[in-house]
PDB file of all heavy atoms in Angstrom:
ATOM      1  N   GLU A 302      61.883 221.532 212.495  1.00 97.00           N
ATOM      2  CA  GLU A 302      62.096 222.505 211.429  1.00 97.00           C
ATOM      3  C   GLU A 302      62.992 221.935 210.328  1.00 97.00           C
ATOM      4  O   GLU A 302      62.673 222.005 209.132  1.00 97.00           O
ATOM      5  CB  GLU A 302      62.725 223.780 212.007  1.00 97.00           C
ATOM      6  CG  GLU A 302      62.714 224.931 211.009  1.00 97.00           C
ATOM      7  CD  GLU A 302      63.445 226.166 211.542  1.00 97.00           C
ATOM      8  OE1 GLU A 302      63.775 226.191 212.756  1.00 97.00           O
ATOM      9  OE2 GLU A 302      63.710 227.072 210.750  1.00 97.00           O
ATOM     10  N   SER A 303      64.122 221.318 210.717  1.00 96.00           N
ATOM     11  CA  SER A 303      65.064 220.825 209.708  1.00 96.00           C
ATOM     12  C   SER A 303      64.468 219.668 208.917  1.00 96.00           C
ATOM     13  O   SER A 303      64.606 219.582 207.692  1.00 96.00           O
ATOM     14  CB  SER A 303      66.384 220.419 210.368  1.00 96.00           C
ATOM     15  OG  SER A 303      66.185 219.380 211.308  1.00 96.00           O
ATOM     16  N   ARG A 304      63.764 218.765 209.587  1.00 96.00           N
ATOM     17  CA  ARG A 304      63.214 217.603 208.885  1.00 96.00           C
ATOM     18  C   ARG A 304      62.014 217.972 208.026  1.00 96.00           C
ATOM     19  O   ARG A 304      61.834 217.433 206.933  1.00 96.00           O
ATOM     20  CB  ARG A 304      62.816 216.509 209.889  1.00 96.00           C
ATOM     21  CG  ARG A 304      63.916 215.497 210.180  1.00 96.00           C
ATOM     22  CD  ARG A 304      65.231 216.129 210.465  1.00 96.00           C
ATOM     23  NE  ARG A 304      66.277 215.163 210.829  1.00 96.00           N
ATOM     24  CZ  ARG A 304      67.498 215.518 211.202  1.00 96.00           C
ATOM     25  NH1 ARG A 304      67.864 216.801 211.268  1.00 96.00           N
ATOM     26  NH2 ARG A 304      68.400 214.607 211.515  1.00 96.00           N
ATOM     27  N   GLU A 305      61.173 218.888 208.510  1.00 97.00           N
ATOM     28  CA  GLU A 305      60.009 219.259 207.705  1.00 97.00           C
ATOM     29  C   GLU A 305      60.440 220.013 206.457  1.00 97.00           C
ATOM     30  O   GLU A 305      59.850 219.855 205.385  1.00 97.00           O
ATOM     31  CB  GLU A 305      59.019 220.070 208.554  1.00 97.00           C
ATOM     32  CG  GLU A 305      58.373 219.193 209.625  1.00 97.00           C
ATOM     33  CD  GLU A 305      57.238 219.858 210.389  1.00 97.00           C
ATOM     34  OE1 GLU A 305      57.078 221.097 210.301  1.00 97.00           O
ATOM     35  OE2 GLU A 305      56.502 219.122 211.089  1.00 97.00           O
ATOM     36  N   LYS A 306      61.510 220.780 206.586  1.00 97.00           N
ATOM     37  CA  LYS A 306      62.047 221.476 205.413  1.00 97.00           C
ATOM     38  C   LYS A 306      62.575 220.438 204.392  1.00 97.00           C
ATOM     39  O   LYS A 306      62.294 220.511 203.192  1.00 97.00           O
ATOM     40  CB  LYS A 306      63.174 222.409 205.848  1.00 97.00           C
ATOM     41  CG  LYS A 306      63.680 223.306 204.731  1.00 97.00           C
ATOM     42  CD  LYS A 306      64.722 224.292 205.245  1.00 97.00           C
ATOM     43  CE  LYS A 306      65.351 225.063 204.082  1.00 97.00           C
ATOM     44  NZ  LYS A 306      66.513 225.851 204.528  1.00 97.00           N
ATOM     45  N   ARG A 307      63.308 219.451 204.909  1.00 96.00           N
ATOM     46  CA  ARG A 307      63.894 218.442 204.031  1.00 96.00           C
ATOM     47  C   ARG A 307      62.819 217.578 203.367  1.00 96.00           C
ATOM     48  O   ARG A 307      62.914 217.213 202.203  1.00 96.00           O
ATOM     49  CB  ARG A 307      64.843 217.562 204.862  1.00 96.00           C
ATOM     50  CG  ARG A 307      65.642 216.571 204.062  1.00 96.00           C
ATOM     51  CD  ARG A 307      66.398 215.592 204.957  1.00 96.00           C
ATOM     52  NE  ARG A 307      67.336 216.238 205.860  1.00 96.00           N
ATOM     53  CZ  ARG A 307      67.982 215.614 206.855  1.00 96.00           C
ATOM     54  NH1 ARG A 307      67.761 214.322 207.069  1.00 96.00           N
ATOM     55  NH2 ARG A 307      68.814 216.257 207.640  1.00 96.00           N
ATOM     56  N   LEU A 308      61.778 217.244 204.164  1.00 96.00           N
ATOM     57  CA  LEU A 308      60.754 216.317 203.684  1.00 96.00           C
ATOM     58  C   LEU A 308      59.628 217.013 202.922  1.00 96.00           C
ATOM     59  O   LEU A 308      58.837 216.358 202.240  1.00 96.00           O
ATOM     60  CB  LEU A 308      60.173 215.539 204.875  1.00 96.00           C
ATOM     61  CG  LEU A 308      61.162 214.619 205.602  1.00 96.00           C
ATOM     62  CD1 LEU A 308      60.656 214.246 206.997  1.00 96.00           C
ATOM     63  CD2 LEU A 308      61.415 213.355 204.786  1.00 96.00           C
ATOM     64  N   GLY A 309      59.528 218.334 203.078  1.00 96.00           N
ATOM     65  CA  GLY A 309      58.471 219.061 202.379  1.00 96.00           C
ATOM     66  C   GLY A 309      57.083 218.787 202.904  1.00 96.00           C
ATOM     67  O   GLY A 309      56.093 218.915 202.175  1.00 96.00           O
ATOM     68  N   ALA A 310      56.963 218.408 204.168  1.00 96.00           N
ATOM     69  CA  ALA A 310      55.660 218.095 204.761  1.00 96.00           C
ATOM     70  C   ALA A 310      55.835 218.079 206.283  1.00 96.00           C
ATOM     71  O   ALA A 310      56.969 217.994 206.783  1.00 96.00           O
ATOM     72  CB  ALA A 310      55.160 216.737 204.286  1.00 96.00           C
ATOM     73  N   THR A 311      54.744 218.171 207.025  1.00 97.00           N
ATOM     74  CA  THR A 311      54.860 218.058 208.482  1.00 97.00           C
ATOM     75  C   THR A 311      55.223 216.616 208.845  1.00 97.00           C
ATOM     76  O   THR A 311      54.959 215.677 208.081  1.00 97.00           O
ATOM     77  CB  THR A 311      53.547 218.428 209.200  1.00 97.00           C
ATOM     78  OG1 THR A 311      52.571 217.423 208.902  1.00 97.00           O
ATOM     79  CG2 THR A 311      53.040 219.805 208.764  1.00 97.00           C
ATOM     80  N   LEU A 312      55.828 216.448 210.019  1.00 97.00           N
ATOM     81  CA  LEU A 312      56.200 215.104 210.467  1.00 97.00           C
ATOM     82  C   LEU A 312      54.971 214.201 210.525  1.00 97.00           C
ATOM     83  O   LEU A 312      55.045 213.020 210.188  1.00 97.00           O
ATOM     84  CB  LEU A 312      56.874 215.182 211.836  1.00 97.00           C
ATOM     85  CG  LEU A 312      58.118 216.075 211.924  1.00 97.00           C
ATOM     86  CD1 LEU A 312      58.737 215.983 213.316  1.00 97.00           C
ATOM     87  CD2 LEU A 312      59.148 215.735 210.842  1.00 97.00           C
ATOM     88  N   GLU A 313      53.859 214.775 210.917  1.00 96.00           N
ATOM     89  CA  GLU A 313      52.640 213.980 211.036  1.00 96.00           C
ATOM     90  C   GLU A 313      52.105 213.572 209.667  1.00 96.00           C
ATOM     91  O   GLU A 313      51.601 212.457 209.495  1.00 96.00           O
ATOM     92  CB  GLU A 313      51.585 214.770 211.827  1.00 96.00           C
ATOM     93  CG  GLU A 313      51.927 214.938 213.313  1.00 96.00           C
ATOM     94  CD  GLU A 313      53.099 215.902 213.592  1.00 96.00           C
ATOM     95  OE1 GLU A 313      53.412 216.743 212.720  1.00 96.00           O
ATOM     96  OE2 GLU A 313      53.706 215.791 214.680  1.00 96.00           O
TER      97      GLU A 313
END
Side-chain angles (χ1 to χ4, degrees):
Chain A
E302 192 185 349
S303 61
R304 269 47 176 184
E305 291 188 346
K306 187 175 173 190
R307 187 189 300 171
L308 296 162
T311 68
L312 303 184
E313 290 71 21

